[in-house]
Amino acid sequence: EENAPEVARLATLIVRDNLDSYMKVLISLAGHQDIRSMDWSAQSRTLGDEKLGDGFLALGIASPDGQARYGDGSSADLKDRSYFQQALKGETAFSDIIISRVTNSPVMMIATPIRDDQDRPVGVLVGRLDATWLSAITDQIRWGQKGYAYAVDKKGTLVAHPNKEYV
């Protein structure tokens, strides 16, 4: 009982470290000249060149009106999504686990501003992550012989658990 809070705190740090890594990838890519150009032909070429080996299912560009185009050819209207709105204000942001409007499956979205030469946000780079990345982390965390880790969101919804049927 005494160690459980410490294990939970360490697990939180591991999850946050992984999330920070995904955010750093997007922030770096948002600084690429082709992405900053806000020219879809140059952007799509660059997005197509990205290997997505960093865990992203898709990368896309959203214009200030919220219309997003992804390198895989899909599109979505993100104007009502809080992560998009935060990024358009200049902050890198991420969503809770949500159901994707494109894939209709659980995902986490990360968004970062695309800035012009005067450092003003002119668009948003978005990355779609399969929500199972959380379970992949929690599955590695054990406590004692039978203990395991799971994650719940702020609404109390189970978002990561060794038994995927519970998620």
Side-chain angles (χ1 to χ4, degrees), residues 141-161:
I141 301 169
R142 297 283 177 208
W143 186 46
Q145 294 281 334
K146 297 182 182 180
Y148 57 87
Y150 59 92
V152 294
D153 67 12
K154 60 188 168 200
K155 297 175 190 170
T157 304
L158 198 57
V159 295
H161 193 278

Side-chain angles (χ1 to χ4, degrees), residues 5-164:
E6 182 64 14
V7 171
R9 188 185 73 74
L10 291 173
T12 301
L13 292 174
I14 292 168
V15 169
R16 185 58 204 220
D17 186 57
N18 277 266
L19 183 56
D20 287 347
S21 294
Y22 289 127
M23 291 175 18
K24 287 176 186 173
V25 168
L26 277 191
I27 291 166
S28 175
L29 185 57
H32 192 283
Q33 189 57 41
D34 286 345
I35 299 298
R36 293 180 66 202
S37 74
M38 293 308 290
D39 171 16
W40 176 245
S41 63
Q43 290 172 323
S44 63
R45 247 189 341 268
T46 299
L47 293 179
D49 288 344
E50 291 302 309
K51 300 293 183 260
L52 299 181
D54 295 311
F56 291 101
L57 296 172
L59 297 172
I61 307 292
S63 59
D65 66 359
Q67 299 307 306
R69 298 165 75 175
Y70 293 89
D72 64 5
S74 60
S75 62
D77 184 352
L78 305 178
K79 69 177 165 270
D80 64 327
R81 300 288 201 180
S82 61
Y83 60 87
F84 166 77
Q85 294 165 2
Q86 282 180 268
L88 199 56
K89 290 177 184 174
E91 303 172 38
T92 299
F94 57 90
S95 71
D96 291 331
I97 301 297
I98 59 174
I99 301 300
S100 168
R101 292 179 177 155
V102 175
T103 65
N104 202 33
S105 62
V107 298
M108 178 180 269
M109 300 295 292
I110 301 176
T112 196
I114 300 169
R115 300 178 183 276
D116 66 10
D117 292 337
Q118 285 76 45
D119 203 36
R120 296 177 301 216
V122 293
V124 174
L125 176 62
V126 292
R128 185 185 315 126
L129 292 168
D130 187 328
T132 60
W133 77 271
L134 283 170
S135 289
I137 292 170
T138 58
D139 287 353
Q140 301 300 314
I141 301 169
R142 297 283 177 208
W143 186 46
Q145 294 281 334
K146 297 182 182 180
Y148 57 87
Y150 59 92
V152 294
D153 67 12
K154 60 188 168 200
K155 297 175 190 170
T157 304
L158 198 57
V159 295
H161 193 278
N163 184 339
K164 305 307 178 244

